[in-house]
Amino acid sequence: MTGWQTARPGRVIAWTLLVLGGIVMVMPFVFMLSASLKYNHEVYELSLWPKEPTLDNYRYLFQETRFVSWFVTSLIVATITTLSVLFFDSLVGYTLAKFEFRGRQVVFIAILSTLMIPTEMLVIPWYILAKDMGWLDTYWGILFPGLMTGFGTFLMRQFFMSVPNDLIEAARIDGVGEFRIWWQVALPLVTPALSALAIFVFLGNWTAFLWPLISTTDKDMYTLPVGFASFTGEFQTEWEMIMTGAMVATLPALVVFILLQKYIIRGIMLAGLKG
Amino acid sequence: MIKAWMSRSVAALALTLSIGVGAARAQVVEIEYWQYTFPQRVKAINELITKFQQANPQIRVKHTDLPYNDYRTRIAAALPAGQGPDVMQLFYGWLGDYTRAKLLQPLPADVFPPARIDAEFFPMVREMKVDGQYYALPTAVRSLALFWNKRLFREAGLDPEKPPQTLDELVEMAKRLTRRDAGGNLTQAGMAVDPAAQDHHWWREVLVRQFGGTPYSADGRTVTYTSPQGLAATRFFADFFTTHRVAEVGFMTDQVTQFRSSRAALTIDGSFRLAAFDGQRGLEYGVTTLPTHNGIASNFGSYWVNAITTKATGAKRDAAARFLAYLVSPEAMELWLREVGELPARVEVASTPANANHPKYGPFIRGLETAVATNFVDETAQRQIMIDFVDRLKIAGASVEAALAEAARAEQALLDRANSPR
Amino acid sequence: MAQSSGFGGALYEGLTIGQKRAVTAWLFLALPIVFYALVRFYPTAQAFWLSLTNWNLLTAPGFIGLANYQRMMVDPVFWQVMGNTLLYLALGLPLSLGLAFLIAYHLDRVRVGHAVIRALYFIPHITTAVAIAWVWRWFYQPVPVGLFNEVLTVVGLPQQPFLRSTTQALPAVLVPAIWSLLGFQIVIFLAGLRAIPQSYYEAAAIDGAGSWQILREITLPQLMPTLVFLCVLTTIGLLRIFDIVYAMTGGGRAAPGGPLNSTKPLVLYIYESAFSSFEMGFAAAQTVVLFLILLAITMIQLKVSKK
């Protein structure tokens, strides 16, 4: 690919448009940031720059709410879920992409079909299960439904399909065990997809609302979105607090994204070398 | 199958545990109390629980509060699993839903004699009586009043200490308080109108009655607001945003935001709003009783109630009744007024001279005398019908008659469905 | 995994290579299958059963045959909601995928500021629907506060009602939905683009292929698995659209999905049936219909992509 110095005019135009588009994309977010820096009485003027900028909302969030507990719960739940999903979904996706066996298509469609039932219909059976097993108000109770996902399985299957078969066959001829072939040969080739999966699973759990809401009553077990829901009352919503919450919640997700997107690029180089 | 197996193993486990624990904590009954999250309410209930437990050491109350928007969702998920509260708070307008779902049990008549409740509480509380039995009781009640923005009155050349007393004055002042830009776009509403907030109550129980009609038949089973009087009241309401154009539905997203940000000069709202308006810097406002019409004063009253769920049986039921009795005692009502700012539900507690002449609570307490609580079968759905009415008028371009007829048809269908035996 | 020991091991050794692989495959799948059965398939089967009952959460479910389905067929709101849902899909799928590909394709070739630009496009996806909705609702307001109407009046065009209109509200809700969906699609597209071996491009460059030709003959065919994935996932996501509609139209105390149900999608109707009206049977019947539609569309998409 060409560097900056050899760029053609078309490339420069494309670059400019991309940057402009990116700024448009991020504008609503800037408004949120601005609202989080305003006092309650100013928040209804949708001006970009606060007249009296304040960190009062952030102080309130850290000192007057159980923000730290919510943060810890969210972090534990999102991290464990992400690790579990990375392991199981890539294993299942690999099996469905690279093994020939009867029933493969049925298993694939069955797992894919789990994406087609809205969570709203699943929470009541989950609640009964969690209650019977004594999992309510525990980390395990919040995270168990998400340990494996149809989404990740599908994603990984698609990416494993483009891994050349010769590599796997070569490893088999060398007498490498099937599990190790997956772990050491196939998995490194799909690092970009793994990183993307990690980002989305982390995010999905970080912002999940309905099930964490239903499975917890103990305020210290709330996740961030459930905790922030209490800023909405019967008659009014503390918007400046919702915006502050959204800002603070976005930050860790952004960090995860920035960290992992480096792996997406590094992964390519690996794939590029071997391919 | 899986569920049955799990339930069995859990039951066995629970039995083993309860034998051990039961011996150690004999005679102590624990009941669960649920309400929605609101800092002042949570604090008030915690104080009440502490006092109650001191007086009743054999009863423990576990207090859970849940985000308001998801309160019903949480209850819906907990019930089939046999979880949830023994005593719970609910909006009075939900009572129909909850009793039809067999979620609530009648309050024991020995602890809560219906005749005494009829005599001691504000009359609107009788909506909680089904077939002669009370199902729920409030600690506090609410009514409506008119809020006006003193600064905007001054800017419009009106006397900031003279709010409108009648509906005619209300319309005249609202016209003078409306501002539009060169393009004709509304920049300041004379009156904040929002059927989703309190205005659907104002229309139903205040305007319709002031124009000489009734919203429903005496048994509450038939819609009667399509009468000529009802139609006149509806026209008066619609004129605010159709003819007079002193209001726009959805302006600044909602009614409260309009008034808070001084973009609306007048608004009708409840006592629960005082705290929010007091906390708004730069907002100088007053409160007065609702404008009269034809010499008729009317008001809408509403309240949150405490009820005993069907989950509570035996000793828990007795404990639940005891706790509920304490929650509606004069002592609890005084504390509630102090901590939450909601008006006592017992006449004698509310109507002390100090309360009735209070500059901010006064207009609301005086409003209680004429307050009617609508006998809702499903408050959310009935409010939505009014929102849809305004949308048909404003967005779909229907006439007042046609939109009102459509609303009446929808609401009658809802009443019929609720009143038909299942 | 395939270590032989004892009787089972002896049995395993007697299998053909194909059979051994099948055993390994099922071994890899064993735990996930137990998991899915318990957490997904069982509740799904239960929803199918509940759709034939009048369960209201409290009393025991009573079998009522197809009454819920009959009610659905004659319920005008159900058909309106169904139409809305399909409209979300018909508008949202081509628009979001087209935009995302366009952006990803060009972003992939950008070296200067790549990481920053990518983050800009991704940020909307990280933000919660409630916060997004608040800002967008203000954008759609009439003047003096609404950004879009402010722009319209400045250039001399009439104000638009946006969310206060039965025809404009649905597209107005869809815009922020796509806005936050783009980040997801772009990242997947980028991962797909980067997974194409560099050597293919180098070979094409040696053959003297133009960039348009490379796009058609290498990039797009190689991107097929990614494209299928995004098509299926976006379809599912749009047919299950809920959060953003709930937050954009439900503010205050109005029921979400308005005005006059013009933005209400199927999942919101399911949610209301289940948790506002406590009509679990009716909610389950709608869920079954949604499930069957999604399954049919997905199977068609997978079939088409094989060709």
Side-chain angles (χ1 to χ4, degrees), chain A residues 70-216:
Chain A
W70 303 340
F71 189 91
V72 169
T73 308
S74 286
L75 196 65
I76 290 176
V77 167
T79 308
I80 295 180
T81 311
T82 306
L83 293 176
S84 164
V85 164
L86 284 180
F87 180 84
F88 284 107
D89 286 8
S90 58
L91 181 62
V92 174
Y94 171 76
T95 311
L96 293 174
K98 290 297 172 196
F99 280 85
E100 297 280 349
F101 58 97
R102 234 198 291 169
R104 177 170 83 158
Q105 199 62 13
V106 176
V107 173
F108 171 59
I109 296 295
I111 292 179
L112 194 58
S113 78
T114 61
L115 291 175
M116 298 168 195
I117 294 280
T119 322
E120 289 73 22
M121 275 316 283
L122 298 172
V123 288
I124 289 179
W126 288 348
Y127 187 86
I128 295 172
L129 174 71
K131 181 221 152 198
D132 287 350
M133 304 299 278
W135 295 343
L136 294 175
D137 274 325
T138 64
Y139 293 129
W140 173 255
I142 303 175
L143 63 81
F144 83 89
L147 287 174
M148 301 175 205
T149 66
F151 163 77
T153 307
F154 186 28
L155 180 78
M156 294 318 293
R157 171 189 179 265
Q158 298 303 92
F159 275 85
F160 277 121
M161 284 194 342
S162 40
V163 169
N165 278 329
D166 354 341
L167 280 176
I168 294 168
E169 285 306 325
R172 278 180 181 145
I173 290 164
D174 291 347
V176 184
E178 292 289 348
F179 189 81
R180 274 188 54 203
I181 294 180
W182 166 68
W183 184 251
Q184 289 182 344
V185 179
L187 213 48
L189 295 180
V190 292
T191 342
L194 274 179
S195 325
L197 178 60
I199 289 171
F200 292 122
V201 174
F202 187 89
L203 260 181
N205 283 281
W206 191 253
T207 54
F209 178 68
L210 189 61
W211 173 245
L213 165 82
I214 285 176
S215 62
T216 53

Side-chain angles (χ1 to χ4, degrees), chain B residues 2-273:
Chain B
I2 297 161
K3 198 184 122 197
W5 165 76
M6 284 186 309
S7 309
R8 265 203 305 280
S9 24
V10 169
L13 187 71
L15 192 69
T16 329
L17 285 175
S18 63
I19 292 168
V21 177
R25 290 207 315 183
Q27 308 302 324
V28 172
V29 183
E30 186 180 278
I31 54 171
E32 277 207 55
Y33 183 76
W34 279 23
Q35 68 161 341
Y36 73 86
T37 306
F38 188 77
Q40 286 90 331
R41 301 174 86 93
V42 172
K43 184 163 169 268
I45 289 287
N46 281 339
E47 284 177 29
L48 290 173
I49 288 175
T50 311
K51 288 186 181 167
F52 174 75
Q53 287 182 161
Q54 277 161 9
N56 299 276
Q58 78 287 8
I59 301 174
R60 283 271 152 280
V61 184
K62 191 177 161 223
H63 175 198
T64 302
D65 58 283
L66 303 158
Y68 173 77
N69 268 355
D70 314 289
Y71 192 58
R72 281 172 73 110
T73 308
R74 277 296 272 114
I75 286 174
L79 294 173
Q83 296 282 96
D86 299 291
V87 181
M88 66 178 285
Q89 257 188 44
L90 65 153
F91 186 63
Y92 92 95
W94 301 347
L95 190 82
D97 289 6
Y98 280 66
T99 46
R100 271 195 306 283
K102 299 197 170 43
L103 170 58
L104 304 179
Q105 52 179 312
L107 304 180
D110 51 334
V111 190
F112 305 93
R116 274 190 60 191
I117 292 170
D118 289 350
E120 290 171 4
F121 284 72
F122 278 100
M124 59 175 154
V125 174
R126 285 178 207 159
E127 291 300 332
M128 297 298 95
K129 197 156 66 168
V130 182
D131 300 328
Q133 288 176 304
Y134 272 96
Y135 272 77
L137 283 176
T139 305
V141 287
R142 304 161 168 180
S143 63
L144 300 179
L146 182 70
F147 292 72
W148 83 97
N149 185 315
K150 294 186 177 178
R151 180 168 64 82
L152 298 186
F153 264 59
R154 263 196 298 273
E155 282 174 12
L158 294 167
D159 183 346
E161 298 308 326
K162 282 216 175 107
Q165 300 294 314
T166 64
L167 289 185
D168 295 335
E169 287 178 26
L170 178 71
V171 172
E172 284 317 306
M173 290 190 182
K175 282 182 184 167
R176 291 185 61 180
L177 288 157
T178 305
R179 296 272 174 281
R180 288 180 182 271
D181 68 7
N185 304 307
L186 190 71
T187 53
Q188 176 183 313
M191 167 92 177
V193 172
D194 185 353
Q198 303 301 315
D199 283 348
H200 72 106
H201 298 304
W202 183 50
W203 165 75
R204 197 185 281 110
E205 295 296 354
V206 182
L207 292 180
V208 170
R209 289 179 195 280
Q210 288 180 327
F211 279 80
T214 51
Y216 307 97
S217 63
D219 65 359
R221 293 190 172 200
T222 314
V223 170
T224 55
Y225 52 68
T226 44
S227 64
Q229 294 88 345
L231 189 62
T234 312
R235 266 188 214 290
F236 174 83
F237 179 70
D239 279 348
F240 279 108
F241 48 88
T242 54
T243 318
H244 309 321
R245 300 187 64 233
V246 298
E248 225 157 74
V249 178
F251 176 56
M252 300 291 288
T253 74
D254 59 76
Q255 191 184 29
V256 188
T257 311
Q258 288 174 42
F259 194 77
R260 280 178 94 151
S261 57
S262 293
R263 293 244 185 223
L266 292 156
T267 188
I268 287 171
D269 219 322
S271 46
F272 39 82
R273 193 72 70 203

Side-chain angles (χ1 to χ4, degrees), chain B residues 72-73 101 185 252 383-384, chain C residues 58 141 159 253 255 271 276:
Chain B
R72 281 172 73 110
T73 308
N185 304 307
M252 300 291 288
R383 176 177 63 218
Q384 190 60 38
Chain C
L58 291 153
Q141 283 293 302
Q159 284 205 68
R253 305 181 75 213
Y271 179 79
S276 289

